[in-house]
Amino acid sequence: MRSPLGGALVSTDQKSPFRTKTVEQSIRDTEEPEHALRKSLSAWDLTVFGVGVIIGTGIFVLTGIAARNNAGPATSLAFVVAGIVCALAALCYAEFASTVPVAGSAYTFSYASIGELPAWIIGWDLVLEFALGTAVVAVGWSGYVRHLMHTNLGWDMPAALSGPDGGGTFDLLAFLLVLVLTAILVAGTKLSARITAIVVAIKVFVVLLVIVAGLFFIKADNYSPFIPPAEPQPAGSGLKAPLIQVLFGYAPTNFGVMGIFTAASLVFFAFIGFDVVATAAEETKNPQRDMPRGILGSLIICTVLYVAVTLVVTGMQDYRQMSASAPLAEAFKSVDQPFFAGAISLGAAVGLITVCMILLLGQTRVFFAMSRDGLLPRVFSVTHPKYRTPYRATVLLGGVIAVVAGFTSLEKLAELVNIGTLFAFVVVALGVMVLRKTRPDLHRSFRTPWVPLIPILSIAASFWLMLNLPTETWIRFGIWMVIGFVVYFLYGRRHSRLGKAGADADY
């Protein structure tokens, strides 16, 4: 079977787990009324989504840890390094998202270039990444709110409802937050975009407040030395040691030039989320034009803000004295400005709401795309008759994540979000190179420059950061991937629409 645009709709070997689903078929699937999403997002909406999910826990927390332990004032350069790694990946995402404007992000891109099994694995990876990310941020938001209630109002949540991190058993606030955001997402992405725009405005105002107000309290002495002398990092042991140390005996250093790269692997978490923009490609009015703008625009804006905030905060307070939990607020307390400290804490709590919402949005769209392809039960790919949202998948996943956030302390599992994102970067960069070879005739509204150099650099940079993660994180990630293989061969491969013997009739 061939499409009007030319090219086979399915690969000739329908039994191969590496069969590919062409770009034309992916786009045609979006036109099925029962499984179609409403196109309502603009470049501005996408940029707001990107800024909304990127600015969150990372800048409000990791700045202090990286400055105090790894890079000192040069933490600003660590943000530049992490931003460059993300920019390399963003260029690849922009080409795919504008060429294949279909829900699913890296999952859909892989299906069109590398094959069904790799696509399933990356989709399975993204489901874990977004689920854990949503739950972790919800628990973090709950902690911020409980702290603000106690500090400013003298109110305390009952111990039993404060969650494992608060000494209780069930985190009621985190549970309720996820449920409310689930209801908002069912009601439509345009409503989500409007709420996100309001919250992002508050969050960006707080970041700008830090930059502008903090300029008046900078002391030049705090920048000396800008790059502190290198110190050997305490040797890791067992499964907590970085994989690069276990494999090659290389122990990362604190401070010095290499300390900047060590800090970059930590603050990389602050950039997680720009790839979520790509999951909304199918709901974008003009994806060929707007997806590259949304992805690259949000990343550039956040990188500039991150570098500015880091320079100001490390100039306000000696990096050795920076707080590991609330560096921005504590920096203002150190110069006797409690009003600004309170405003920053409130802005951080409000800002985390959008992070949760957009991570949940990304997960439901990946799950929806996998279901529409038959790799997961097709019942979850039916869209709401009025709102045109994947309401069944959203309700299922929202409910599961709400329970996980309510009962679980996810501090150790949070590192899986990092490795999952970096793995997606590697697969997308590889997919760009493969599709350039297999479909050179395909119209690309945005083209990644200097292929294959940029994708190769993206793969190398992402893999380097992955090697700096603890060995136990790699083991957990490997276990999740093995479970994914089992599910694919027991269910996904047999129910795949692409792989059915009657594929032509089905399509």
Side-chain angles (χ1 to χ4, degrees):
M1 189 176 192
R2 302 183 69 82
S3 76
L5 300 177
L9 287 179
V10 295
S11 64
T12 54
D13 185 3
Q14 294 181 5
K15 295 182 180 180
S16 171
F18 293 94
R19 55 201 171 209
T20 58
K21 179 181 179 183
T22 66
V23 174
E24 292 84 0
Q25 183 57 52
S26 296
I27 294 174
R28 209 173 100 182
D29 281 351
T30 68
E31 299 170 356
E32 298 175 345
E34 191 179 21
H35 306 283
L37 299 172
R38 175 173 292 166
K39 297 182 181 295
S40 59
L41 301 178
S42 64
W44 171 253
D45 293 327
L46 295 172
T47 303
V48 169
F49 270 145
V51 174
V53 73
I54 296 172
I55 297 180
T57 308
I59 188 62
F60 289 119
V61 176
L62 295 180
T63 305
I65 299 174
R68 193 175 69 176
N69 299 335
N70 303 116
T75 300
S76 58
L77 298 180
F79 276 107
V80 173
V81 172
I84 291 173
V85 173
C86 290
L88 294 171
L91 290 170
C92 298
Y93 268 90
E95 175 170 325
F96 259 132
S98 60
T99 306
V100 193
V102 179
S105 184
Y107 159 75
T108 301
F109 308 157
S110 302
Y111 212 158
S113 57
I114 306 174
E116 183 175 278
L117 179 57
W120 163 265
I121 291 300
I122 196 64
W124 188 251
D125 162 58
L126 290 174
V127 167
L128 174 70
E129 172 198 339
F130 293 150
L132 289 180
T134 305
V136 167
V137 176
V139 172
W141 173 85
S142 174
Y144 261 109
V145 173
R146 292 198 307 272
H147 174 73
L148 286 169
M149 289 168 55
H150 174 78
T151 303
N152 299 304
L153 302 174
W155 297 349
D156 290 302
M157 290 287 294
L161 300 178
S162 297
D165 291 333
T169 55
F170 182 72
D171 194 329
L172 179 63
L173 292 177
F175 175 80
L176 292 177
L177 174 66
V178 177
L179 289 186
V180 170
L181 296 181
T182 298
I184 292 172
L185 289 175
V186 168
T189 52
K190 193 62 181 178
L191 174 61
S192 307
R194 289 170 181 164
I195 294 174
T196 300
I198 295 171
V199 178
V200 167
I202 297 172
K203 186 158 49 175
V204 171
F205 173 78
V206 170
V207 172
L208 293 176
L209 179 67
V210 172
I211 297 170
V212 176
L215 286 173
F216 296 95
F217 303 99
I218 289 177
K219 298 177 182 178
D221 291 345
N222 289 331
Y223 289 133
S224 182
F226 189 75
I227 302 179
E231 298 176 1
Q233 198 174 88
S237 60
L239 297 180
K240 296 186 179 299
L243 185 63
I244 192 172
Q245 181 177 337
V246 173
L247 294 179
F248 307 107
Y250 169 78
T253 63
N254 288 331
F255 308 111
V257 174
M258 294 309 296
I260 295 173
F261 293 96
T262 303
S265 65
L266 173 66
V267 301
F268 172 80
F269 183 84
F271 288 91
I272 285 178
F274 80 86
D275 55 318
V276 179
V277 176
T279 65
E282 192 174 327
E283 295 159 275
T284 304
K285 296 176 184 176
N286 189 346
Q288 289 75 15
R289 181 195 66 190
D290 294 342
M291 287 306 301
R293 293 181 180 181
I295 293 173
L296 296 172
S298 58
L299 183 60
I300 292 170
I301 290 171
C302 292
T303 302
V304 172
L305 291 176
Y306 281 179
V307 172
V309 166
T310 307
L311 285 173
V312 168
V313 173
T314 53
M316 291 176 62
Q317 186 177 26
D318 189 298
Y319 70 89
R320 302 174 190 86
Q321 300 173 2
M322 292 191 70
S323 167
S325 58
L328 275 60
E330 290 299 324
F332 278 94
K333 285 185 179 179
S334 71
V335 293
D336 298 323
Q337 297 294 323
F339 170 77
F340 292 113
I344 291 167
S345 296
L346 178 61
V350 173
L352 292 179
I353 294 174
T354 59
V355 180
C356 275
M357 179 187 292
I358 301 168
L359 286 173
L360 183 58
L361 170 76
Q363 189 199 36
T364 57
R365 271 42 178 185
V366 173
F367 197 90
F368 166 79
M370 297 172 74
S371 171
R372 187 165 58 186
D373 289 332
L375 301 182
L376 290 172
R378 288 266 290 171
V379 65
F380 294 113
S381 65
V382 175
T383 55
H384 194 281
K386 177 180 178 182
Y387 302 121
R388 310 310 304 172
T389 56
Y391 69 105
R392 292 177 179 174
T394 303
V395 170
L396 171 69
L397 296 171
V400 170
I401 295 173
V403 172
V404 171
F407 284 104
T408 311
S409 176
L410 296 173
E411 181 178 354
K412 290 186 177 292
L413 293 180
E415 289 173 330
L416 281 171
V417 180
N418 269 15
I419 196 169
T421 302
L422 289 165
F423 180 64
F425 288 2
V426 170
V427 174
V428 169
L430 181 62
V432 166
M433 293 189 290
V434 171
L435 202 61
R436 285 284 187 97
K437 287 288 186 182
T438 58
R439 289 297 306 274
D441 60 309
L442 198 62
H443 174 69
R444 294 168 171 83
S445 302
F446 178 89
R447 296 176 68 88
T448 303
W450 303 324
V451 173
L453 178 60
I454 293 295
I456 290 174
L457 288 175
S458 179
I459 292 171
S462 299
F463 193 64
W464 168 260
L465 293 183
M466 290 172 72
L467 288 174
N468 281 276
L469 291 170
T471 304
E472 62 182 354
T473 300
W474 280 82
I475 293 175
R476 293 191 185 107
F477 182 68
I479 292 172
W480 178 254
M481 289 294 104
V482 169
I483 295 173
F485 273 102
V486 172
V487 173
Y488 172 75
F489 284 104
L490 289 182
Y491 181 89
R493 188 178 184 185
R494 292 189 294 112
H495 293 85
S496 166
R497 293 181 67 197
L498 191 61
K500 287 182 178 178
D504 283 356
D506 192 15
Y507 278 1

